[in-house]
Amino acid sequence: MNIHEYQAKQILDDFGVPTPHAEVASTAAEAKEIAARIGRRVVVKAQVHAGGRGKVGGVKLVNTPEEAEQVAASLLGSRLVTNQTGANGVPVEKVMIAEALDIKDELYISIVIDGDIGAPVLMASTEGGMEIEEVAEYSPEKIFRVAGDPLIGLTTYHARDIALALEVPAGALRATTKLITDLYRVFIENDCSLVEINPLVITQDDQIIALDAKINLEDDALFRHPELAKLRDSNQLDPLEQRADKADLAYVKLEGGRVGCMVNGAGLAMATMDIANAAGAPPANFLDIGGSADQGQIEEAFKIIMADDDVEMILVNLFAGIARSDVVAEGIVAAAKETNATLPIVVAMRGTNAEKGIKILAGSGLNITGAPDLAGATVAIKQKLQEMGGSN
Amino acid sequence: MAILVGSETRLLVQGLGRDGSFQASRTREYGTNMVAAVHPGRDGQKFEDEVPYFSTVANAVEQTGANTGVIFVPAPFAMDAIIEQVDAGIELVVCISEGVPVLDMVKVMEYIKDKPTRLIGSNCPGLLSPASKAKVGIVPGNIVRPGNVGVVSRSGTLTYEAIAQLVQHGMGQSTCVGIGGDPVHGTTFTDVLELFQADDETEAIVLIGEIGGIREQLAADYIREHVTKPVVAAIAGQSAPAGKRMGHAGAIVTGKAALASEKNKALSEAGVHVVESPAMIGAKMKEVLGS
């Protein structure tokens, strides 16, 4: 789960990680007040769940409270389109007003789980402000890594090693070491999937401060952090993803797709996307209905796909182990009738009660083409594309 | 001989709620020797009037000699269940539960690293050996056939798809192993490849990977050095965009190595027959085996 920068900053504050003086505003008037209270140059930062906001005017340095008010007024209520959002962008409902610092040096630090070694890994780099993927590509020698021990955590000496590798000024060594150990605690104690500070800055007076804060929380662990679960902001999701989220469906909207996909199982869902793509019709979404979806969820899943204007054709691929094909079929028919769906639907149905499910679909009067398996579905999609005029 | 499970399997099922009970029934129907059911508070009762219930794994193992355990408990309790089975000395622990917090799995892996137990999962469909009628997990028993192809996969239903394709092309399976879709998991591709390579019943191997992580690349390295049997591989997620999690916690492109194309390349270079389309797994294996 993504959270906003101001929420991440609050967590850092709670764990004693130094951050700039900053407050969050929902109106331009509040933004002006906060800027006046800070009493110096401030940065106005749009609070959205997407990177790349600096390049599209989502982060602005201003000199006066009046300027802060103006910038906040233009950002609030707008939608920000960055290289990480879809064409619709994400809504700006809050801005953070943060004191501007006199920066001497910019560093990078992040913590993620490295599944391949089975431990949290802390990565740091002297190249702050840059995308870490770029640094990894062009100057991998500037990235330092250390894995935390699953039972002991991150030892102070490891944190000090990182601080030394970052070549922080001698006067900031102790504070940097503490900041690194505290960040590691933030990661572990909140069950994060990502903690990223980019940039971590050294100020002209040798203070070390987390200038930016990005925290992702692990969905599967939210049950033990009810207070963090409340930080969810579903307005930041694509509207269709928002609906899926409410219905407890694993759905991801994909840009530039044509085929709506409905599948049980994540691996099979990806494979289904792949065969649609290979057949010349890119997938419009990832959708895993899981093993225990009831008819209501199936109906909502189908309606979500139907509500996507990009979708020209639907591909249902079900290999029912736990799931029951007849329940899925009933759900599809009910939703299709309700939405007056006339789009072609290609269906591959195998496993538990598959014959029953196929019978229900066949007798429904919907525009359905049956396929025996993935290979058959590929052929059926190609054929449908041709019938539709092979438009691209 | 199959790998990991067989006629010597004495199965303990932990967590007999709605799903666990349903799956335990299917397991027994298939012919698996289920000797114990663990569900606190049901001591003295019997599952389906035949299999004794126990409140603790230790007690169940002592009374029944269970050597394999399968876990269906809700994800928040999965770490505890795994450790309880490890402490009771169970040799093979299979955790089906989906949604186990990754930091729990980090602790589990550290805890078991010097212990004799082998863990499969979490978030996996488990494993099945058709010839010995041994099923530990949720792979549907009616889709498999006894034969000589070993299947190892990160996915659930895509494994079933691969099995169905093999059967359609006239090929059965020695053992099917789903290792699970979580970023931190027990038994890896490499572990299973080693077992298949040493298994007389297995003539060829199907490997099904996904985007995310570098485990497929590690498998490729292992295959190049140690596997002489033919391997057919498919990687799901070629059309998945970077930075979006595709259902499985492990299935997300976070760097170049996590891309399907990079995995395909590494496997091809190791001599693996990589299929571009996951619809071609069965056909490719048939071609490779010339059958």
Side-chain angles (χ1 to χ4, degrees):
Chain A
M1 181 178 101
N2 268 332
I3 61 172
H4 286 294
E5 180 191 10
Y6 75 92
Q7 297 166 329
K9 175 192 144 54
Q10 183 61 53
I11 295 174
L12 295 186
D13 289 345
D14 292 345
F15 279 74
V17 175
T19 60
H21 181 191
E23 291 177 51
V24 69
S26 308
T27 65
E30 276 172 30
K32 184 182 174 187
E33 273 172 42
I34 294 165
R37 198 152 49 231
I38 291 172
R40 50 179 297 181
R41 288 198 309 164
V42 295
V43 183
V44 182
K45 303 169 99 175
Q47 298 298 290
V48 290
H49 287 181
R53 63 188 170 163
K55 292 175 192 129
V56 293
V59 178
K60 277 190 179 148
L61 179 68
V62 298
N63 291 307
T64 66
E66 288 70 28
E67 265 185 79
E69 184 182 23
Q70 281 167 20
V71 170
S74 68
L75 284 173
L76 287 165
S78 73
R79 294 186 77 89
L80 211 58
V81 180
T82 83
N83 57 2
Q84 293 184 17
T85 68
N88 285 331
V90 281
V92 183
E93 296 178 331
K94 287 190 165 66
V95 289
M96 191 167 93
I97 317 297
E99 64 172 318
L101 301 173
D102 296 320
I103 296 163
K104 189 198 277 181
D105 202 3
E106 294 191 331
L107 310 169
Y108 171 95
I109 201 154
S110 69
I111 306 167
V112 292
I113 295 283
D114 184 334
D116 301 310
I117 63 165
V121 169
L122 187 138
M123 272 187 297
S125 160
T126 49
E127 306 300 289
M130 284 180 64
E131 298 282 337
I132 194 67
E133 291 81 8
E134 279 175 42
V135 182
E137 180 95 21
Y138 299 110
S139 19
E141 75 286 356
K142 288 181 178 160
I143 298 181
F144 313 103
R145 290 165 201 266
V146 57
D149 184 277
L151 302 179
I152 292 172
L154 185 73
T155 60
T156 305
Y157 90 85
H158 274 132
R160 195 181 302 116
D161 281 349
I162 293 288
L164 288 167
L166 290 174
E167 295 173 348
V168 298
L173 181 60
R174 195 174 288 262
T176 307
T177 305
K178 178 174 183 302
L179 180 142
I180 291 169
T181 38
D182 288 342
L183 276 183
Y184 191 83
R185 280 179 47 234
V186 166
F187 184 89
I188 299 294
E189 292 179 26
N190 297 290
D191 278 291
C192 298
S193 51
L194 170 73
V195 171
E196 185 179 51
I197 311 296
N198 190 20
L200 173 71
V201 301
I202 307 278
T203 59
Q204 290 296 346
D205 56 351
D206 286 352
Q207 303 287 313
I208 182 127
I209 293 177
L211 192 62
D212 191 25
K214 183 167 169 55
I215 291 181
N216 290 347
L217 301 166
E218 205 216 335
D219 295 273
D220 289 339
L222 283 174
F223 69 87
R224 54 188 172 210
H225 304 285
E227 73 296 345
L228 295 176
K230 289 182 200 148
L231 302 181
R232 179 183 297 275
D233 180 0
S234 21
N235 290 351
Q236 295 287 317
L237 292 173
D238 171 276
L240 295 175
E241 291 181 353
Q242 205 172 322
R243 274 178 74 177
D245 194 47
K246 276 191 193 128
D248 209 13
L249 295 162
Y251 171 92
V252 179
K253 169 80 186 113
L254 302 171
E255 296 288 317
R258 301 174 67 190
V259 180
C261 299
M262 181 165 168
V263 189
N264 69 319
L268 192 60
M270 282 189 279
T272 305
M273 285 158 50
D274 293 344
I275 65 123
N277 203 38
N285 66 278
F286 165 92
L287 172 60
D288 171 13
I289 58 170
S292 52
D294 57 26
Q295 194 180 324
Q297 278 174 297
I298 305 294
E299 285 184 41
E300 179 63 3
F302 191 86
K303 286 179 193 167
I304 289 168
I305 293 175
M306 285 297 298
D308 182 349
D309 294 336
D310 297 341
V311 169
E312 300 167 34
M313 184 193 320
I314 295 175
L315 173 55
V316 177
N317 187 13
L318 191 76
F319 209 124
I322 315 173
R324 282 172 45 199
S325 308
D326 51 330
V327 173
V328 175
E330 297 278 13
I332 290 172
V333 172
K337 296 226 156 121
E338 201 177 314
T339 52
N340 293 316
T342 52
L343 296 183
I345 307 174
V346 174
V347 180
M349 217 170 240
R350 277 98 26 100
T352 315
N353 295 352
E355 295 79 16
K356 261 181 160 173
I358 290 166
K359 212 170 163 188
I360 291 166
L361 290 170
S364 67
L366 296 170
N367 183 1
I368 285 175
T369 309
D373 51 20
L374 266 188
T378 313
V379 175
I381 292 172
K382 281 186 181 159
Q383 197 183 332
K384 285 287 155 197
L385 280 178
Q386 246 166 18
E387 285 171 21
M388 288 157 61
S391 62
N392 271 307
Chain B
M1 274 300 293
I3 66 165
L4 298 167
V5 288
S7 50
E8 70 291 352
T9 295
R10 296 178 64 78
L11 183 67
L12 174 155
V13 178
Q14 184 169 12
L16 289 115
R18 188 194 63 179
D19 290 347
S21 297
F22 177 83
Q23 294 299 340
S25 284
R26 302 289 84 74
T27 299
R28 296 191 72 225
E29 263 170 35
Y30 189 67
T32 313
N33 184 18
M34 175 175 164
V35 298
V38 173
H39 203 95
R42 293 187 193 161
D43 286 282
Q45 302 176 35
K46 288 193 166 161
F47 177 75
E48 295 185 335
D49 298 327
E50 287 177 32
V51 183
Y53 269 110
F54 301 89
S55 280
T56 72
V57 176
N59 210 357
V61 170
E62 195 185 302
Q63 308 266 331
T64 66
N67 56 13
T68 302
V70 63
I71 294 170
F72 291 106
V73 304
F77 313 109
M79 174 171 79
D80 198 74
I82 295 170
I83 291 176
E84 186 180 1
Q85 294 206 0
V86 171
D87 286 350
I90 291 185
E91 294 158 29
L92 176 67
V93 175
V94 180
C95 181
I96 309 297
S97 314
E98 181 178 358
V100 181
V102 66
L103 283 175
D104 285 3
M105 286 306 297
V106 166
K107 284 185 195 152
V108 162
M109 293 310 294
E110 180 68 17
Y111 186 77
I112 68 170
K113 87 178 168 194
D114 298 320
K115 302 210 164 50
T117 300
R118 172 190 292 281
L119 171 67
I120 298 183
S122 56
N123 186 19
C124 75
L127 60 166
L128 192 154
S129 286
S132 49
K133 292 281 174 194
K135 162 177 151 111
V136 179
I138 63 174
V139 178
N142 58 349
I143 62 168
V144 298
R145 299 285 177 277
N148 306 106
V149 178
V151 178
V152 58
S153 170
R154 260 171 85 177
S155 158
T157 45
L158 183 53
T159 314
Y160 312 163
E161 169 73 37
I163 292 169
Q165 288 181 27
L166 289 171
V167 169
Q168 195 193 338
H169 287 88
M171 292 168 287
Q173 303 83 42
S174 55
T175 305
C176 306
V177 186
I179 59 173
D182 282 347
V184 178
H185 56 262
T187 296
T188 63
F189 279 129
T190 309
D191 298 329
V192 179
L193 287 167
E194 185 181 351
L195 294 168
F196 277 143
Q197 174 65 24
D199 175 38
D200 293 341
E201 195 186 327
T202 302
E203 281 175 19
I205 301 163
V206 168
L207 182 151
I208 299 166
E210 286 178 1
I211 52 167
I214 57 161
R215 291 286 173 91
E216 288 79 2
Q217 282 88 337
L218 298 178
D221 289 344
Y222 186 83
I223 290 167
R224 187 187 297 112
E225 298 291 322
H226 303 285
V227 178
T228 55
K229 298 176 181 178
V231 181
V232 170
I235 306 294
Q238 302 182 50
S239 51
K244 296 263 189 185
R245 174 179 153 175
M246 296 290 134
H248 284 164
I252 179 166
V253 173
T254 49
K256 203 175 164 206
L259 289 167
S261 55
E262 289 295 310
K263 293 172 187 295
N264 282 343
K265 188 166 152 239
L267 287 162
S268 293
E269 284 170 7
V272 173
H273 306 274
V274 179
V275 292
E276 281 303 318
S277 163
M280 302 304 293
I281 298 165
K284 176 57 85 175
M285 184 55 89
K286 188 172 182 184
E287 180 194 319
V288 167
L289 289 179
S291 58

